[in-house]
Amino acid sequence: MMFEWLGENWWALWLSAFLAFAVIEMITLDLFFIMLGGGTLAAMVADFAGADPWLQIVVFCVVSLLMIAFVRPVALSHLKKGPSEQRTNVDRLIGEQAVVMEPVSSDSGLVKIGGDIWSARSAAGVLPAGQKVVVAAIDGATAVVSAASEADGKS
């Protein structure tokens, strides 16, 4: 009885698939499953227009593939670009000033960035304790630093 109703009401299957894709997208945040969700909505519209089930499946596949091929790359590029003040996580530390807590060499050392102590290594030479430095890069959990005057000269 239930399968008979679903066979006659494909819109319910498409709506269920859309909701499932939306939930998966919220978990993954990859902009892939929402493209599949767009395909399910197009197939649901095709069902409301009176299309046969095989045509609804074709509409789902075509619209999903087109969205993955053309919409997703544009959406991802818009999400990833932005001014430097919108940098997140450790990317925000690049360019920040730090203070050397323990001498920093090309192999080891400690710096204080903001209120946090980071393991560090020097981009060039040994940096003594107390010197102000600039974070040039983040490599894993290690800050790569250079003397503040060197970083200003390179800009």
Side-chain angles (χ1 to χ4, degrees):
M1 180 87 168
M2 175 76 162
F3 292 113
E4 186 177 308
W5 183 85
L6 285 175
E8 295 171 4
N9 296 289
W10 276 68
W11 64 268
L13 291 172
W14 293 121
L15 183 60
S16 299
F18 171 75
L19 294 173
F21 288 140
V23 168
I24 294 170
E25 181 63 39
M26 286 189 282
I27 294 168
T28 63
L29 298 175
D30 194 30
L31 292 183
F32 178 78
F33 290 98
I34 201 66
M35 301 299 138
L36 296 176
T40 61
L41 291 178
M44 190 167 65
V45 169
D47 179 53
F48 288 141
D52 290 332
W54 67 268
L55 184 57
Q56 295 173 35
I57 294 169
V58 169
V59 167
F60 165 73
C61 293
V62 169
V63 171
S64 295
L65 288 173
L66 288 174
M67 289 185 73
I68 290 168
F70 296 108
V71 176
R72 185 174 180 263
V74 173
L76 285 175
S77 69
H78 282 289
L79 283 177
K80 291 183 180 178
K81 75 176 182 180
S84 60
E85 63 267 9
Q86 288 183 345
R87 293 182 297 176
T88 59
N89 301 331
V90 295
D91 291 337
R92 297 184 120 185
L93 300 176
I94 297 171
E96 292 291 316
Q97 278 203 335
V99 177
V100 177
M101 303 303 287
E102 290 181 9
V104 176
S105 67
S106 60
D107 296 323
S108 64
L110 292 176
V111 295
K112 186 173 190 175
I113 308 170
D116 298 323
I117 305 293
W118 280 71
S119 60
R121 67 174 195 264
S122 171
V126 176
L127 304 169
Q131 181 174 353
K132 291 191 188 269
V133 294
V134 175
V135 178
I138 301 292
D139 184 17
T142 303
V144 180
V145 297
S146 57
S149 59
E150 288 178 23
D152 293 342
K154 288 181 181 176
S155 298

